[in-house]
Amino acid sequence: IKMDEIKVIKMDEIKVIKMDEIKVIKTQDRVIRLLGFMLLAFVILLTGMLMNFVVITENGGKMPILYSFDYSNKEYFSYQNSLEINYPLLTDRFEFGNTIYSLGDIFLTIGFYGFLIIVFVLIINLFRLYKLQKGINFKVINQNSNIYKLKLP
């Protein structure tokens, strides 16, 4: 066995595995984990949408804003007392710079950008996996012995 090969023994079966096959397995594992994270980011995004939907529907079709002066228009209305509205925690109340966000907006933002980043990393890993699998050819050395060797181009 050469330096870039590893022997794997399983139930009367000996395989010679090159390091490139291990890279393929690790990349496949990474792709599966990224798909799980992508699903998690999508669930976070949907949770933010649901939070905003609930607070808007429960408050007459407008998003309440906890603000010191009147900011009412077609889409929003201002309030100062939490007893005036339904679900005050889900309203626009968190001020960042000159913008006010709701808890749903924060979830939406985290889910959206998390989803984009994960998709970008997933595309890179799928491309890497394609290149690795394209370069590996499996060749049976002896059909009776179940020994496989990887042939690299």
Side-chain angles (χ1 to χ4, degrees):
I1 295 178
K2 298 176 187 170
M3 285 297 274
D4 63 341
E5 297 177 344
I6 296 174
K7 261 190 187 177
V8 178
I9 301 172
K10 278 187 181 179
M11 308 291 277
D12 301 330
E13 180 181 322
I14 299 174
K15 287 187 178 181
V16 178
I17 300 176
K18 292 230 181 205
M19 296 305 285
D20 284 341
E21 185 179 3
I22 293 172
K23 287 180 186 177
V24 167
I25 293 168
K26 285 183 177 181
T27 306
Q28 287 172 339
D29 184 52
R30 192 177 307 124
V31 165
I32 291 170
R33 280 187 278 130
L34 284 169
L35 289 173
F37 284 125
M38 194 166 79
L39 180 64
L40 177 66
F42 190 69
V43 167
I44 291 171
L45 187 137
L46 287 178
T47 303
M49 290 175 70
L50 182 65
M51 287 175 172
N52 284 344
F53 177 76
V54 166
V55 74
I56 288 171
T57 54
E58 290 295 318
N59 289 294
K62 292 184 178 183
M63 175 64 91
I65 298 177
L66 178 62
Y67 211 59
S68 56
F69 65 89
D70 189 19
Y71 189 74
S72 300
N73 63 22
K74 288 189 279 185
E75 299 173 5
Y76 304 99
F77 70 90
S78 298
Y79 72 95
Q80 280 77 35
N81 187 356
S82 297
L83 299 174
E84 301 172 8
I85 57 159
N86 297 321
Y87 302 107
L89 184 64
L90 299 180
T91 63
D92 283 348
R93 63 183 312 133
F94 304 106
E95 194 170 339
F96 297 107
N98 59 355
T99 309
I100 301 175
Y101 295 100
S102 67
L103 197 57
D105 295 338
I106 294 169
F107 272 64
L108 270 165
T109 304
I110 291 170
F112 178 74
Y113 286 111
F115 189 83
L116 283 181
I117 290 168
I118 292 167
V119 166
F120 180 70
V121 173
L122 182 65
I123 289 170
I124 291 171
N125 279 283
L126 286 173
F127 182 70
R128 181 180 297 149
L129 185 62
Y130 172 75
K131 284 179 65 176
L132 283 170
Q133 286 180 336
K134 185 178 175 187
I136 295 175
N137 298 318
F138 294 94
K139 181 181 177 187
V140 177
I141 294 173
N142 185 347
Q143 291 180 355
N144 297 331
S145 67
N146 291 328
I147 296 176
Y148 298 92
K149 187 171 183 179
L150 299 170
K151 180 184 168 192
L152 298 175

